[in-house]
Amino acid sequence: MKQKIENLLKQFETKKEAAKTIADAEAIRLEFMGKKGYINELMAEFRNVAPENKKEMGMLINSLKTSIETGLGELIQAKKDEELENQLKNDKRIDYTLPVNQTIGALHPRTILQKQIIDAFVSMGFTIEDGNEIETEYNNFDSVNVPESHPARDMQDTFWLDNGEVLKTQTSAAQNRILKTHGPICRVLFPGRCFRNEELDATHENTFFQIEGVVVDKNVSVSNLIYFMKEMLKGVFKKDVNVRLRPGFFPFTEPSFELDTTCPLCGGKGCSACSHTGWIELCPCGMIHPNVLKEAGIDSKEYNGFAFGLGFDRLVMIKTGLDDIRRLNGGNVKLLSQFGTKI
Ligand code: DAH
């Protein structure tokens, strides 16, 4: 019987080699595995094997069965692949002489700038955090010192959801959670997509991007804020730029500022990107309001800090020369991919 098993395996291998089509493979299956096939024949003979040889013979038959099953599987798959290949070759609709399309796409200019800004802050010891896009009213407003009665709520046209939550109008919505988890001593940067129910025009989108940063420690000062922003700009524009502060108003900061930078394109001489003023409005910022620190459980007598909320779509427009913010969300791959290596 042992000899028979060995011969069957050899026979199977020879037939497998010779098979040309799926039909051939099916015929082999029947011959070996079918009802009246060799394997069943073997099983019938197995009943008469002496008990002391049953174990060995059983194992040999099993391994023969497995080899044939695997071999058949491989054979059928190979024949199917061959048939498909032949079909495709004969399909006149496909022109195999056409060159391969090598377009691999490019990073969005916004993604590239965000990475450059992140890299600059990471090198200054910042941790990066992600925010939610749907936020509670508390996180988006109350926790950052914007109670219901506050006029600042009307400044941001909010998309309210049926359950009372909001599409976050500002990355500041993550401040409370971040100060609670990272504070009281921390440097955190949290980029994110924000939404406001705005009239759309060349400089306003209902979906836009901000990068928020907070630094909390002992004895933080406005000059620290200026230093960090200048370093970041140096990292992004690869040259020294000047910044200036103008007074601003935001409920989360006291005092609040608007930070401008010398135009990175003309170096402050005046060009069309900076409306010939030499300055570009960069970001609102300020010293974190004690109420915001207290709400996050930080002792505002011992610790203080600064925060900024950089609407960086403006920077992307300056870097790319695109004069309409809507193009950034437009998804025109041809337009956007040209900045992939340029930016
Ligand atoms: N959240 C503000 C807005 O979207 C921007 C902002 C202002 C963020 C001052 C800050 C800040 O962190 O300190 O209008």
Side-chain angles (χ1 to χ4, degrees):
M1 188 173 210
K2 208 167 165 178
Q3 190 57 48
K4 192 169 179 182
I5 293 174
E6 272 170 25
N7 287 343
L8 275 175
L9 188 59
K10 273 190 204 137
Q11 204 179 327
F12 172 74
E13 294 296 348
T14 321
K15 295 210 164 186
K16 187 178 152 197
E17 285 301 310
K20 287 203 174 61
T21 59
I22 297 186
D24 292 345
E26 285 301 335
I28 303 176
R29 181 204 297 283
L30 267 185
E31 194 177 350
F32 284 81
M33 310 293 284
K35 237 181 186 177
K36 293 184 181 149
Y38 297 130
I39 296 289
N40 273 350
E41 214 172 82
L42 264 184
M43 295 308 281
E45 283 173 37
F46 179 70
R47 274 182 226 123
N48 307 325
V49 169
E52 64 272 25
N53 294 334
K54 270 214 152 112
K55 189 172 170 201
E56 189 193 3
M57 289 307 139
M59 275 164 65
L60 285 174
I61 294 176
N62 267 342
S63 105
L64 174 68
K65 244 172 100 177
T66 318
S67 306
I68 292 179
E69 272 165 358
T70 334
L72 274 171
E74 286 166 3
L75 180 63
I76 289 173
Q77 190 54 49
K79 294 298 155 203
K80 274 188 182 159
D81 291 348
E82 266 172 34
E83 275 185 19
L84 185 67
E85 209 169 295
N86 283 335
Q87 262 176 20
L88 288 174
K89 259 188 206 151
N90 297 328
D91 189 335
K92 297 283 177 290
R93 290 168 304 175
I94 300 173
D95 182 353
Y96 285 94
T97 60
L98 283 177
V100 178
N101 180 0
Q102 289 180 335
T103 321
I104 50 166
L107 292 176
H108 193 287
R110 195 187 263 140
T111 311
I112 297 171
L113 183 64
Q114 177 169 313
K115 182 164 184 315
Q116 290 171 339
I117 295 176
I118 286 178
D119 287 351
F121 278 108
V122 166
S123 72
M124 294 187 279
F126 278 69
T127 308
I128 311 301
E129 278 285 358
D130 226 359
N132 303 330
E133 291 189 344
I134 294 179
E135 274 291 2
T136 57
E137 183 182 358
Y138 171 78
N139 279 337
N140 199 77
F141 293 119
D142 304 76
S143 72
V144 282
N145 202 30
V146 191
E148 205 181 337
S149 57
H150 203 290
R153 280 212 189 188
D154 299 334
M155 282 158 49
Q156 304 188 351
D157 295 312
T158 309
F159 285 113
W160 291 91
L161 304 182
D162 288 346
N163 65 359
E165 294 184 327
V166 300
L167 290 186
K168 109 178 147 208
T169 61
Q170 49 183 356
T171 38
S172 310
Q175 271 201 22
N176 181 263
R177 192 171 39 239
I178 282 170
L179 291 176
K180 271 180 183 152
T181 47
H182 289 260
I185 294 180
C186 61
R187 294 177 188 188
V188 189
L189 195 74
F190 34 113
R193 194 193 332 234
C194 305
F195 309 87
R196 285 187 207 172
N197 198 354
E198 299 261 13
E199 288 287 339
L200 307 189
D201 61 30
T203 50
H204 293 92
E205 250 291 11
N206 54 21
T207 305
F208 56 96
F209 288 74
Q210 293 186 335
I211 298 190
E212 184 110 357
V214 287
V215 168
V216 180
D217 210 321
K218 290 182 181 171
N219 306 317
V220 177
S221 68
V222 176
S223 49
N224 296 139
L225 163 65
I226 294 175
Y227 169 80
F228 279 114
M229 298 316 281
K230 275 177 102 167
E231 282 301 301
M232 179 276 285
L233 289 165
K234 198 153 92 180
V236 171
F237 290 108
K238 310 283 178 265
K239 57 177 158 191
D240 280 321
V241 291
N242 258 330
V243 298
R244 72 176 181 195
L245 293 181
R246 287 176 293 118
F249 167 74
F250 300 99
F252 0 91
T253 39
E254 181 55 43
S256 302
F257 307 106
E258 292 284 355
L259 187 138
D260 300 338
T261 160
T262 40
C263 174
L265 295 190
C266 63
K269 289 194 197 82
C271 66
S272 58
C274 57
S275 311
H276 301 281
T277 61
W279 293 95
I280 303 260
E281 254 182 55
L282 185 70
C283 76
C285 52
M287 303 306 291
I288 302 177
H289 197 291
N291 286 356
V292 175
L293 293 175
K294 276 184 220 148
E295 193 65 25
I298 294 176
D299 182 351
S300 62
K301 291 205 178 66
E302 198 173 346
Y303 300 98
N304 72 340
F306 66 77
F308 58 88
L310 202 148
F312 77 106
D313 285 337
R314 181 83 204 290
L315 274 189
V316 179
M317 288 165 74
I318 292 171
K319 281 206 110 179
T320 54
L322 288 174
D323 55 4
D324 191 325
I325 190 172
R326 288 167 290 191
R327 295 201 190 280
L328 292 181
N329 288 354
N332 181 338
V333 177
K334 256 194 189 154
L335 174 78
L336 294 170
S337 61
Q338 63 179 307
F339 304 110
T341 48
K342 232 172 111 185
I343 202 162

